[in-house]
Amino acid sequence: MTVSTPNTTQPTNITSEQLFERSLKVAPGGVHSPVRAFKSVGGTPIFFKSADGARLTSVEGKSYIDFCQSFGPLILGHRDPEVAEVVHETVNLAWSFGACEPYSLELAEWITARIPWAERLRFVSSGTEAVMSALRVARAATGRNKILKFEGCYHGHVDSLLVKAGSGLAGEAASDSAGVSAAFAHETLVAPLDDDEGFMRVFEAHKHEIAAVIVEPLPANYGLLLQRREFLEGLRKVTAANGSLLIFDEVISGFRVALGGMAELLGIRPDLVTYGKVIGGGFPVGAYGGRRDLLELVAPLGPVYQAGTLSANPVGMRAGLATLKKVERDQVFAKLETRTAGFAERLLNGFKRTGVPLDVVRQGSVFWLHQKTDDGGVIRRLSQIPKEHGAQFKAFFHACSESGVYLAPSGYEVGFLGYAHTDNILDEAVEKIVAAAEKTHKTK
Ligand SMILES: *Cc1c(COP(=O)(O)O)cnc(C)c1O
C-alpha cells in the first residue's frame, strides 16, 4: 500500500510570521497548548508543515533534527512506515464506532499481558483525562478526599492538581491557575520531591484524609528530576501502611523508558497507573489501569462514572499497538539506551572541550540539558535548578534552531530520542548543539 506524502503544494512564500499573525486572531496566544507559543524563549513560533523520522520541515522549507518528538509520543520517530501502513489501513475500515470493536481489545490484551500491575485498563483520550479518572477511582475506593502531589511533578491540567505549595508547613496547596477555586486546591497537598522527611511531615498531618499519593516516578515536566529509588520505595511503604493508594503517573515514562515504565525498572508496584503519549503512537490516547478491585469500581460495573465519545478510537488503538509491537520486536529500549548514552557522552565531551557549563542528565531516551549546578550535583528538586538556567536557555534554543536542531521551546522541557535518530543524525546534532552552546554559554 502506498503512503501518501503530506501536502507540500501550498505557496512556498508562506512564513511562520504570517501564520502566527493570523493565528493570534483566532486562538488565545495563537496556539492550542501554551508552550507552543515560544513565550519562554521569545520570538515567533516555527510552523511546521511535515515531518519524517527524526526530522521536521517548517513551512519555509527548512529542515530540523527534532528532539521534541511531539513531547514524547513518537518513540519510533515521525510517520514510522509500519505504523503509517496500519493507520492507513484502519482509516479504510472505520474512524470511530462509539460501539464495541476488536482493536481496543487487542491493545488492552497486549498491555495487560505484559504489565502485571495493570490488571484492568480503561482507555481515554489524553493523559489529563487518565489522571482525572484515576483520582476519582482513588477517592471512591478509599472514601477519602485528599490527594498528595509533589512540587516539580505535572499531571496534566486537572483542576485539583493545578496547585502549588501554600504558605503552611503541612502541605496545604494554593491554586496555581486562575479559574481553579480554593475548594479544589483544598483537596490537594503538596510535598517536596527527594525529601523523605518533608513528605512524612505532610503525610502525617493528614494521613486519615489521603486517598492517594500521586507521583511521576520519572519527573520529566520541570526538567528531568531523577529520584532516588529509596524515596519512591518510601512512598509505596507509607501509602500501603496507611490505607492510601499509590498512583504512578507514567504518561511520559510508560512505554518510553521500558514497556512497564519506571514501575518495571524500579520493581515498585503502584495501585493505579496512568499512561498517555507513547501508548497511542502519536494519536490522542490515554489510559488508566491498576488493581482489578479498583478498576471494577468504574461504570458500568461500579459506581464511579467515567465515559468518552471517542475513547478507544480505532486509529489510535491500532497505531499504539503497531508502535508497541515494533518497539518490542526490534528491542528498541535497549537500542535507544545505547544511542542516548553515546549521544549524552559526546555532548558532555563537547561541552567540556569548549568550556560550556552545561550538564546532560538522562533516563533511557529522555534527556535534559541544564546549566551546571555549582557543586556539579544531580538536580532532584525544582529548587535546585540554577536560577540562570531559564534565561540562558533562550539564546541557546535560538542558536540550535538556527543551525537546524529543534528543541522543545522551554528550558524546563526534556528532550526525546526516537528510533529514527540514527547515529549519523546524532553526530550531526552533537556538532550543531555544541557549536550553538559555544556561542551562547561560553564563559568568557
Ligand atoms: C503529558 C503529561 C500529562 C498530560 O497528558 P496530556 O495528554 O497532555 O493531557 C500528565 N502527566 C504527565 C506525567 C505528563 O507528562
Side-chain angles (χ1 to χ4, degrees), residues 126-129 131 154-156 216 221 249 251-252 277:
S126 71
T128 296
E129 225 187 311
V131 170
Y154 173 71
H155 302 290
E216 279 182 88
N221 280 286
D249 181 354
V251 170
I252 277 196
K277 300 195 169 102

Side-chain angles (χ1 to χ4, degrees), residues 48-383:
F48 297 104
K49 65 177 173 190
S50 65
D52 185 28
R55 295 186 197 264
L56 298 167
T57 305
S58 72
V59 292
E60 290 87 355
K62 180 170 167 148
S63 172
Y64 296 82
I65 300 174
D66 178 24
F67 289 104
C68 176
Q69 295 285 312
S70 193
F71 291 99
L74 304 169
I75 193 164
L76 297 177
H78 293 277
R79 295 192 306 117
D80 175 84
E82 282 177 49
V83 179
E85 191 170 324
V86 169
V87 166
H88 285 257
E89 193 184 279
T90 310
V91 165
N92 286 332
L93 294 173
W95 295 354
S96 186
F97 297 103
C100 291
E101 33 63 43
Y103 313 115
S104 57
L105 169 63
E106 283 166 19
L107 181 58
E109 280 180 345
W110 195 93
I111 292 172
T112 55
R114 285 161 180 78
I115 302 183
W117 49 96
E119 293 172 352
R120 294 288 184 276
L121 204 60
R122 171 61 66 84
F123 291 115
V124 292
S125 300
S126 71
T128 296
E129 225 187 311
V131 170
M132 191 175 75
S133 310
L135 298 187
R136 193 177 301 142
V137 170
R139 291 191 169 109
T142 58
R144 300 172 178 182
N145 284 330
K146 288 200 191 297
I147 304 293
L148 189 153
K149 83 173 283 282
F150 294 91
E151 192 176 24
C153 286
Y154 173 71
H155 302 290
H157 63 96
V158 177
D159 285 271
S160 64
L161 298 183
L162 288 179
V163 297
K164 58 189 173 200
S167 48
L169 277 176
E172 286 81 6
S175 162
D176 199 22
S177 163
V180 170
S181 70
F184 274 119
H186 185 71
E187 305 274 80
T188 310
L189 301 163
V190 183
L193 282 167
D194 185 49
D195 180 350
D196 307 76
E197 279 170 27
F199 164 68
M200 278 316 292
R201 190 169 53 235
V202 175
F203 192 91
E204 280 293 334
H206 303 273
K207 66 179 175 188
H208 302 297
E209 304 166 87
I210 298 175
V213 169
I214 185 167
V215 68
E216 279 182 88
L218 180 69
N221 280 286
Y222 292 88
L224 188 61
L225 309 173
L226 300 179
Q227 296 302 294
R228 289 172 295 114
R229 167 194 293 273
E230 306 76 54
F231 177 68
L232 297 167
E233 280 170 350
L235 307 185
R236 178 61 287 183
K237 284 199 197 96
V238 171
T239 46
N242 291 281
S244 300
L245 301 177
L246 179 64
I247 305 175
F248 271 4
D249 181 354
E250 301 236 42
V251 170
I252 277 196
S253 48
F255 312 101
R256 167 54 76 174
V257 298
L259 267 186
M262 288 303 288
E264 178 183 318
L265 294 183
L266 295 162
I268 300 176
R269 194 177 173 119
D271 300 298
L272 290 167
V273 60
T274 54
Y275 298 119
K277 300 195 169 102
V278 174
I279 200 175
F283 288 84
V285 178
Y288 62 103
R291 276 166 37 195
R292 174 177 167 176
D293 61 306
L294 298 176
L295 270 287
E296 290 192 342
L297 293 171
V298 177
L301 210 51
V304 176
Y305 192 70
Q306 187 272 309
T309 302
L310 293 171
S311 286
N313 176 269
V315 181
M317 295 291 105
R318 294 198 78 212
L321 186 57
T323 300
L324 297 179
K325 278 184 168 169
K326 180 163 175 177
V327 164
E328 185 177 64
R329 186 199 69 204
D330 288 7
Q331 298 177 302
V332 167
F333 296 119
K335 287 176 185 159
L336 281 180
E337 172 68 29
T338 310
R339 272 190 222 167
T340 317
F343 173 64
E345 194 186 312
R346 279 174 284 160
L347 280 177
L348 278 172
N349 288 340
F351 295 151
K352 240 181 240 152
R353 180 168 44 75
T354 53
V356 165
L358 279 176
D359 219 336
V360 187
V361 287
R362 69 167 191 99
Q363 173 75 55
S365 55
V366 186
F367 69 94
W368 183 43
L369 304 179
H370 69 79
Q371 198 69 24
K372 260 205 171 103
T373 51
D374 288 337
D375 60 357
V378 181
I379 299 177
R380 301 188 194 279
R381 297 182 201 172
L382 212 49
S383 58

Side-chain angles (χ1 to χ4, degrees), residues 418-440:
Y419 196 37
H421 288 88
T422 59
D423 280 321
N424 279 345
I425 292 176
L426 291 173
D427 281 341
E428 181 189 337
V430 167
E431 207 170 289
K432 288 177 168 172
I433 293 171
V434 171
E438 206 180 351
K439 271 189 219 148
T440 59

